[in-house]
Amino acid sequence: MGRPPCCDKIGVKKGPWTPEEDIILVSYIQEHGPGNWRAVPTNTGLLRCSKSCRLRWTNYLRPGIKRGGFTEHEEKMIIHLQALLGNRWAAIASYLPQRTDNDIKNYWNTHLKKKLGKIQENEKSNNNSSDISRQSISKGQWERRLQTDIHMAKQALCEALSLDKSDKNKTSTSIFDSNKIFGPVPSSSTEQANPIIQTSTYASSTENIARLLEKWMKKPSTNNSSSSQAGSSLMSTSSPSEGTTFLSFNSSNSSDISQSIEDHDAKFDQGINFTTTTTTTHENNGILFQDERKPILDNEMPLSLLEKWLLDDAAAQGQDGDFMDLGLEETTADLF
DNA sequence: AACAGGAACAACCGCCAGAGT
DNA sequence: GACTCTGGCGGTTGTTCCTGT
């Protein structure tokens, strides 16, 4: 009946990981690859539960993680994505390939939330009612636009897949669930206008968000990604195994590592996709590592496009401004 | 130099959906 | 179909570091 327990709670070590534990874990994953976390503690002798091993790997040891201060560019992306997606840190992190959801969550809670709070207080104290009303109007506009585009996307997909229209009445078989991805939509007349949104389920992957948003993109971006400082920040961390595509227990090869980051970022900026499990041919002290950077899925727009959309005031709106002109621009503008 | 308070971040906790048996 | 576990996620906590007094 069922699976055996992943670990017994007795004798499980808690608290900060030691460098020795990190090395053991990295060595094991290097040999067997990530996954099957249940087997990790038993096979490595680590007195950690499988969950702890997984978290340590995904949040700290995984190659390609960028640590250190967030750039202004990343801050803006997080703020916009948070406004759009809510506290769906994993979804937000999928658009910041070198950041973990935990990192983004922490950064939001410790930095950005406070910043935004202060700004909102300032706005309140200024009692700028006209701005507030304009914000709410703009927000309604982009929500409607969002729903409309979801609707259109669903229709297009239904046509493409030749779905039976009767499926629209079945919540379990419909395709999109805007509530799941975008959070509950405020009650408004748009619910009637787009009833499908209420009753659908979503394919539950962030690339779908990108697909939905793709039509808002007007032109390919030439933006530089936010990762230009990845190399320095990566190597400045204390963990012996931190790095990018390739891990090294000594950091003597930092120039190679930095170069590797830059190479990847260059591809990133050019919109060239690479996948989660791309095995690199780079060798460092005879050790091969798999590239575990977050995937750019086949149907996902290049990150830079999304960044362009997020950061370019005019990218997704007309001169009047209808989508991103939701007060956030004003709000976030004060931040920087 | 010592202390207090706040900031930053790593890690844990609890919940949930999906999958294995 | 029921039960149990895994993996993922978001929220929260605990510890360490930093800064001001």
Short mmCIF file of all heavy atoms in Angstrom, two decimals, chain C residues 8-21:
data_model
loop_
_atom_site.label_atom_id
_atom_site.label_comp_id
_atom_site.label_asym_id
_atom_site.label_seq_id
_atom_site.Cartn_x
_atom_site.Cartn_y
_atom_site.Cartn_z
P DG C 8 9.80 18.80 -7.98
OP1 DG C 8 10.08 18.84 -9.43
OP2 DG C 8 10.91 18.90 -7.00
"O5'" DG C 8 8.74 19.93 -7.65
"C5'" DG C 8 7.45 19.86 -8.24
"C4'" DG C 8 6.56 20.93 -7.64
"O4'" DG C 8 6.13 20.50 -6.33
"C3'" DG C 8 7.24 22.29 -7.45
"O3'" DG C 8 6.46 23.28 -8.09
"C2'" DG C 8 7.30 22.48 -5.93
"C1'" DG C 8 6.15 21.60 -5.45
N9 DG C 8 6.33 21.08 -4.11
C8 DG C 8 7.42 20.41 -3.61
N7 DG C 8 7.29 20.07 -2.36
C5 DG C 8 6.04 20.52 -2.01
C6 DG C 8 5.34 20.42 -0.78
O6 DG C 8 5.72 19.91 0.28
N1 DG C 8 4.08 21.01 -0.86
C2 DG C 8 3.55 21.62 -1.99
N2 DG C 8 2.34 22.14 -1.87
N3 DG C 8 4.20 21.70 -3.13
C4 DG C 8 5.42 21.14 -3.08
P DC C 9 7.05 24.74 -8.20
OP1 DC C 9 6.65 25.22 -9.54
OP2 DC C 9 8.45 24.79 -7.77
"O5'" DC C 9 6.19 25.51 -7.11
"C5'" DC C 9 4.77 25.38 -7.12
"C4'" DC C 9 4.20 25.92 -5.83
"O4'" DC C 9 4.51 25.02 -4.76
"C3'" DC C 9 4.80 27.27 -5.43
"O3'" DC C 9 3.83 28.29 -5.61
"C2'" DC C 9 5.17 27.11 -3.96
"C1'" DC C 9 4.61 25.76 -3.56
N1 DC C 9 5.49 24.99 -2.65
C2 DC C 9 5.05 24.71 -1.36
O2 DC C 9 3.94 25.13 -1.00
N3 DC C 9 5.86 24.01 -0.52
C4 DC C 9 7.04 23.60 -0.96
N4 DC C 9 7.81 22.92 -0.11
C5 DC C 9 7.50 23.86 -2.28
C6 DC C 9 6.69 24.56 -3.10
P DG C 10 4.29 29.76 -5.50
OP1 DG C 10 3.47 30.50 -6.48
OP2 DG C 10 5.76 29.84 -5.54
"O5'" DG C 10 3.82 30.15 -4.04
"C5'" DG C 10 2.46 29.96 -3.68
"C4'" DG C 10 2.29 30.20 -2.20
"O4'" DG C 10 3.00 29.17 -1.46
"C3'" DG C 10 2.83 31.54 -1.69
"O3'" DG C 10 1.87 32.13 -0.83
"C2'" DG C 10 4.12 31.17 -0.94
"C1'" DG C 10 3.82 29.75 -0.48
N9 DG C 10 5.01 28.91 -0.34
C8 DG C 10 6.03 28.76 -1.24
N7 DG C 10 6.96 27.93 -0.84
C5 DG C 10 6.52 27.52 0.40
C6 DG C 10 7.12 26.63 1.32
O6 DG C 10 8.19 26.01 1.22
N1 DG C 10 6.34 26.48 2.47
C2 DG C 10 5.14 27.11 2.69
N2 DG C 10 4.54 26.85 3.86
N3 DG C 10 4.58 27.95 1.83
C4 DG C 10 5.32 28.11 0.73
P DG C 11 2.19 33.47 -0.06
OP1 DG C 11 0.93 34.23 -0.06
OP2 DG C 11 3.43 34.07 -0.56
"O5'" DG C 11 2.46 32.97 1.44
"C5'" DG C 11 1.49 32.14 2.07
"C4'" DG C 11 1.94 31.81 3.48
"O4'" DG C 11 3.04 30.88 3.42
"C3'" DG C 11 2.41 33.00 4.31
"O3'" DG C 11 1.85 32.91 5.61
"C2'" DG C 11 3.93 32.86 4.32
"C1'" DG C 11 4.12 31.35 4.20
N9 DG C 11 5.36 30.96 3.52
C8 DG C 11 5.79 31.37 2.29
N7 DG C 11 6.93 30.84 1.93
C5 DG C 11 7.27 30.03 3.00
C6 DG C 11 8.41 29.20 3.19
O6 DG C 11 9.37 29.02 2.43
N1 DG C 11 8.35 28.54 4.41
C2 DG C 11 7.34 28.65 5.32
N2 DG C 11 7.46 27.94 6.44
N3 DG C 11 6.27 29.43 5.16
C4 DG C 11 6.31 30.09 3.98
P DT C 12 2.13 34.04 6.69
OP1 DT C 12 0.93 34.12 7.55
OP2 DT C 12 2.64 35.25 6.02
"O5'" DT C 12 3.32 33.42 7.54
"C5'" DT C 12 3.17 32.10 8.05
"C4'" DT C 12 4.45 31.65 8.71
"O4'" DT C 12 5.45 31.38 7.69
"C3'" DT C 12 5.07 32.66 9.67
"O3'" DT C 12 5.04 32.10 10.97
"C2'" DT C 12 6.50 32.87 9.15
"C1'" DT C 12 6.71 31.70 8.21
N1 DT C 12 7.61 31.95 7.04
C2 DT C 12 8.77 31.22 6.94
O2 DT C 12 9.13 30.40 7.76
N3 DT C 12 9.53 31.51 5.83
C4 DT C 12 9.22 32.42 4.83
O4 DT C 12 9.98 32.60 3.87
C5 DT C 12 7.99 33.14 5.00
C7 DT C 12 7.57 34.14 3.99
C6 DT C 12 7.25 32.87 6.09
P DT C 13 5.64 32.90 12.21
OP1 DT C 13 4.79 32.57 13.38
OP2 DT C 13 5.87 34.29 11.81
"O5'" DT C 13 7.06 32.20 12.41
"C5'" DT C 13 7.13 30.78 12.30
"C4'" DT C 13 8.59 30.34 12.40
"O4'" DT C 13 9.27 30.60 11.15
"C3'" DT C 13 9.39 31.03 13.49
"O3'" DT C 13 10.15 30.06 14.19
"C2'" DT C 13 10.28 32.01 12.72
"C1'" DT C 13 10.48 31.27 11.41
N1 DT C 13 10.79 32.10 10.21
C2 DT C 13 11.87 31.75 9.42
O2 DT C 13 12.60 30.82 9.65
N3 DT C 13 12.05 32.57 8.33
C4 DT C 13 11.29 33.66 7.97
O4 DT C 13 11.56 34.32 6.96
C5 DT C 13 10.17 33.97 8.84
C7 DT C 13 9.30 35.12 8.54
C6 DT C 13 9.98 33.17 9.91
P DG C 14 10.85 30.39 15.55
OP1 DG C 14 10.51 29.33 16.51
OP2 DG C 14 10.58 31.82 15.87
"O5'" DG C 14 12.39 30.26 15.16
"C5'" DG C 14 12.80 29.13 14.40
"C4'" DG C 14 14.26 29.26 14.02
"O4'" DG C 14 14.38 30.10 12.84
"C3'" DG C 14 15.14 29.90 15.09
"O3'" DG C 14 16.39 29.23 15.11
"C2'" DG C 14 15.27 31.35 14.63
"C1'" DG C 14 15.20 31.22 13.11
N9 DG C 14 14.62 32.36 12.41
C8 DG C 14 13.50 33.08 12.76
N7 DG C 14 13.21 34.03 11.92
C5 DG C 14 14.18 33.94 10.95
C6 DG C 14 14.38 34.71 9.77
O6 DG C 14 13.71 35.66 9.36
N1 DG C 14 15.49 34.28 9.05
C2 DG C 14 16.30 33.24 9.43
N2 DG C 14 17.32 32.97 8.62
N3 DG C 14 16.13 32.50 10.52
C4 DG C 14 15.06 32.91 11.23
P DT C 15 17.47 29.56 16.22
OP1 DT C 15 17.92 28.28 16.78
OP2 DT C 15 16.94 30.63 17.09
"O5'" DT C 15 18.64 30.17 15.34
"C5'" DT C 15 19.01 29.50 14.14
"C4'" DT C 15 19.88 30.40 13.28
"O4'" DT C 15 19.07 31.42 12.66
"C3'" DT C 15 20.98 31.13 14.06
"O3'" DT C 15 22.23 30.88 13.41
"C2'" DT C 15 20.58 32.60 13.99
"C1'" DT C 15 19.77 32.64 12.70
N1 DT C 15 18.76 33.73 12.61
C2 DT C 15 18.76 34.54 11.49
O2 DT C 15 19.54 34.42 10.59
N3 DT C 15 17.78 35.51 11.50
C4 DT C 15 16.83 35.74 12.47
O4 DT C 15 16.01 36.64 12.37
C5 DT C 15 16.89 34.85 13.61
C7 DT C 15 15.91 35.03 14.73
C6 DT C 15 17.84 33.91 13.62
P DT C 16 23.58 31.34 14.15
OP1 DT C 16 24.51 30.19 14.08
OP2 DT C 16 23.27 31.99 15.44
"O5'" DT C 16 24.09 32.45 13.13
"C5'" DT C 16 24.01 32.21 11.72
"C4'" DT C 16 24.18 33.49 10.96
"O4'" DT C 16 22.96 34.29 11.06
"C3'" DT C 16 25.32 34.39 11.44
"O3'" DT C 16 26.14 34.73 10.35
"C2'" DT C 16 24.62 35.60 12.05
"C1'" DT C 16 23.32 35.63 11.27
N1 DT C 16 22.16 36.29 11.95
C2 DT C 16 21.43 37.25 11.27
O2 DT C 16 21.70 37.61 10.15
N3 DT C 16 20.39 37.78 11.98
C4 DT C 16 20.00 37.45 13.26
O4 DT C 16 19.04 38.00 13.79
C5 DT C 16 20.79 36.44 13.91
C7 DT C 16 20.46 36.02 15.31
C6 DT C 16 21.82 35.91 13.23
P DC C 17 27.48 35.52 10.57
OP1 DC C 17 28.50 34.93 9.67
OP2 DC C 17 27.75 35.68 12.01
"O5'" DC C 17 27.09 36.96 9.98
"C5'" DC C 17 26.43 37.04 8.72
"C4'" DC C 17 25.97 38.46 8.46
"O4'" DC C 17 24.80 38.73 9.28
"C3'" DC C 17 27.00 39.54 8.79
"O3'" DC C 17 27.13 40.43 7.69
"C2'" DC C 17 26.44 40.23 10.04
"C1'" DC C 17 24.93 40.00 9.88
N1 DC C 17 24.16 39.96 11.17
C2 DC C 17 23.04 40.77 11.31
O2 DC C 17 22.69 41.51 10.39
N3 DC C 17 22.35 40.72 12.48
C4 DC C 17 22.75 39.91 13.46
N4 DC C 17 22.04 39.89 14.60
C5 DC C 17 23.90 39.08 13.33
C6 DC C 17 24.57 39.13 12.18
P DC C 18 28.18 41.57 7.72
OP1 DC C 18 28.74 41.67 6.34
OP2 DC C 18 29.10 41.39 8.88
"O5'" DC C 18 27.28 42.84 7.99
"C5'" DC C 18 26.08 43.00 7.24
"C4'" DC C 18 25.31 44.22 7.72
"O4'" DC C 18 24.62 43.89 8.96
"C3'" DC C 18 26.18 45.44 8.00
"O3'" DC C 18 25.62 46.56 7.35
"C2'" DC C 18 26.15 45.57 9.53
"C1'" DC C 18 24.81 44.94 9.88
N1 DC C 18 24.71 44.33 11.24
C2 DC C 18 23.68 44.73 12.09
O2 DC C 18 22.88 45.57 11.72
N3 DC C 18 23.60 44.16 13.33
C4 DC C 18 24.49 43.23 13.69
N4 DC C 18 24.35 42.70 14.92
C5 DC C 18 25.54 42.81 12.84
C6 DC C 18 25.61 43.38 11.63
P DT C 19 26.42 47.90 7.25
OP1 DT C 19 26.25 48.40 5.87
OP2 DT C 19 27.78 47.70 7.83
"O5'" DT C 19 25.61 48.83 8.24
"C5'" DT C 19 24.19 48.79 8.22
"C4'" DT C 19 23.61 49.58 9.39
"O4'" DT C 19 23.58 48.74 10.58
"C3'" DT C 19 24.42 50.82 9.77
"O3'" DT C 19 23.53 51.92 9.93
"C2'" DT C 19 25.09 50.46 11.08
"C1'" DT C 19 24.08 49.47 11.67
N1 DT C 19 24.63 48.49 12.64
C2 DT C 19 23.94 48.25 13.80
O2 DT C 19 22.89 48.79 14.09
N3 DT C 19 24.52 47.33 14.63
C4 DT C 19 25.70 46.65 14.42
O4 DT C 19 26.14 45.84 15.24
C5 DT C 19 26.37 46.95 13.18
C7 DT C 19 27.66 46.26 12.84
C6 DT C 19 25.80 47.84 12.35
P DG C 20 24.07 53.37 10.00
OP1 DG C 20 23.45 54.12 8.89
OP2 DG C 20 25.54 53.36 10.16
"O5'" DG C 20 23.42 53.87 11.37
"C5'" DG C 20 22.07 53.55 11.66
"C4'" DG C 20 21.80 53.64 13.15
"O4'" DG C 20 22.41 52.50 13.81
"C3'" DG C 20 22.38 54.89 13.81
"O3'" DG C 20 21.40 55.45 14.69
"C2'" DG C 20 23.60 54.38 14.58
"C1'" DG C 20 23.18 52.95 14.91
N9 DG C 20 24.27 52.00 15.09
C8 DG C 20 25.33 51.80 14.24
N7 DG C 20 26.16 50.87 14.66
C5 DG C 20 25.61 50.44 15.86
C6 DG C 20 26.06 49.45 16.77
O6 DG C 20 27.07 48.73 16.69
N1 DG C 20 25.21 49.31 17.86
C2 DG C 20 24.06 50.04 18.05
N2 DG C 20 23.36 49.78 19.15
N3 DG C 20 23.62 50.98 17.20
C4 DG C 20 24.45 51.11 16.13
P DT C 21 21.64 56.82 15.37
OP1 DT C 21 20.36 57.55 15.29
OP2 DT C 21 22.89 57.39 14.82
"O5'" DT C 21 21.89 56.41 16.88
"C5'" DT C 21 20.94 55.58 17.55
"C4'" DT C 21 21.48 55.18 18.91
"O4'" DT C 21 22.50 54.17 18.75
"C3'" DT C 21 22.12 56.32 19.70
"O3'" DT C 21 21.54 56.40 20.99
"C2'" DT C 21 23.59 55.95 19.79
"C1'" DT C 21 23.53 54.44 19.67
N1 DT C 21 24.77 53.80 19.14
C2 DT C 21 25.33 52.75 19.84
O2 DT C 21 24.85 52.32 20.87
N3 DT C 21 26.47 52.23 19.28
C4 DT C 21 27.09 52.64 18.11
O4 DT C 21 28.11 52.11 17.70
C5 DT C 21 26.45 53.74 17.43
C7 DT C 21 27.04 54.27 16.16
C6 DT C 21 25.33 54.26 17.97
#
